[in-house]
Amino acid sequence: MEFLLTSLVVCVTPGTGVLFTIAAGLSRGTRAALIAAVGCTLGVVPHMVAAITGLAALLNASAVAFQTIKYLGVAYLLYMAWSTLRDKSDLTAEEETEPRSAGRTILTGVLINILNPKLTLFFLAFLPQFVSTDEPYAFLRMTELSAYFMLITFLVFAAYGRFAAAMRSHVISRPHVVSWMRRTFAAAFAALGARLAFL
């Protein structure tokens, strides 16, 4: 449950994938938003594979090194809290009038997340927190957790896209609401980092 809640916080935090899905929903409707969500979710796979194989090898080589990665993960989560709090950019999505095929939408979504190095860093910081150093099937455990993360990613992005029009009129158009959302996300990252530091 802790992993699922943490994943939900991370996925709900607005980023490039969320903005792309919102833009698809605003400009071309629910179907386009769902297709964009699929593309962004598939873009998580390369980062997931890189992180899982690297962490599994590290765990087999050295438990101390694995613990070191965990503490680096704490530092990264605190950095995410700081950067989220400092982000003053507008949460907007421009409407598109040019038709776009499903394949092109998926490809764009995949590229958006493949080119996002924060995802690899996130997996390296996140997965070790939920895998014991004496876990007999660490590789399978991390794969299972990553699959849950991808499912949550798709569901959250699909929800963003589905309600994009309502979000723009009730949230995005109100700067004070966006600022409140950012402070909430930053506090969640900071709290998680602090908690993991004392495990």
Side-chain angles (χ1 to χ4, degrees), residues 3 26 36 118 127 134:
F3 177 88
L26 288 174
K118 289 183 179 180
L127 288 181
D134 58 357

Side-chain angles (χ1 to χ4, degrees), residues 129-151:
Q129 319 301 339
F130 300 92
V131 180
S132 172
T133 53
D134 58 357
E135 175 73 46
Y137 302 104
F139 182 86
L140 292 178
R141 177 63 173 163
M142 287 187 283
T143 301
E144 176 190 7
L145 294 176
S146 297
Y148 285 131
F149 180 84
M150 289 183 63
L151 176 61

Side-chain angles (χ1 to χ4, degrees), residues 168-190:
R168 183 165 194 174
S169 60
H170 297 293
V171 177
I172 297 176
S173 61
R174 300 178 182 178
H176 68 281
V177 176
V178 175
S179 296
W180 177 84
M181 288 173 57
R182 285 203 174 96
R183 285 194 293 269
T184 301
F185 294 140
F189 283 129

Side-chain angles (χ1 to χ4, degrees), residues 10-22 91 112-113 116 157 160:
V10 171
C11 292
V12 168
T13 303
T16 55
V18 167
L19 294 182
F20 174 68
T21 306
I22 289 175
L91 185 58
I112 282 174
N113 271 348
N116 183 1
F157 279 33
Y160 264 125

Side-chain angles (χ1 to χ4, degrees), residues 22-39:
I22 289 175
L26 288 174
S27 60
R28 299 186 303 280
T30 301
R31 180 177 179 274
L34 293 177
I35 292 172
V38 169

Side-chain angles (χ1 to χ4, degrees), residues 4-150:
L4 296 177
L5 291 175
T6 306
S7 297
L8 182 62
V9 169
V10 171
C11 292
V12 168
T13 303
T16 55
V18 167
L19 294 182
F20 174 68
T21 306
I22 289 175
L26 288 174
S27 60
R28 299 186 303 280
T30 301
R31 180 177 179 274
L34 293 177
I35 292 172
V38 169
C40 290
T41 302
L42 291 176
V44 172
V45 174
H47 300 280
M48 178 188 76
V49 171
I52 290 176
T53 54
L55 289 171
L58 186 62
L59 179 57
N60 288 331
S62 170
V64 174
F66 190 79
Q67 289 290 337
T68 301
I69 290 293
K70 292 183 71 168
Y71 286 110
L72 290 175
V74 170
Y76 175 67
L77 289 170
L78 294 177
Y79 167 76
M80 287 180 68
W82 178 73
S83 61
T84 300
L85 195 60
R86 289 186 69 249
D87 185 10
K88 304 300 181 184
S89 60
D90 294 329
L91 185 58
T92 59
E94 298 179 359
E95 295 191 18
E96 298 180 13
T97 56
E98 180 185 351
R100 179 179 294 193
S101 68
R104 182 180 173 192
T105 300
I106 290 177
L107 178 60
T108 303
V110 169
L111 290 176
I112 282 174
N113 271 348
I114 283 181
L115 299 175
N116 183 1
K118 289 183 179 180
L119 277 174
T120 297
L121 293 174
F122 168 74
F123 273 109
L124 288 173
F126 191 51
L127 288 181
Q129 319 301 339
F130 300 92
V131 180
S132 172
T133 53
D134 58 357
E135 175 73 46
Y137 302 104
F139 182 86
L140 292 178
R141 177 63 173 163
M142 287 187 283
T143 301
E144 176 190 7
L145 294 176
S146 297
Y148 285 131
F149 180 84
M150 289 183 63

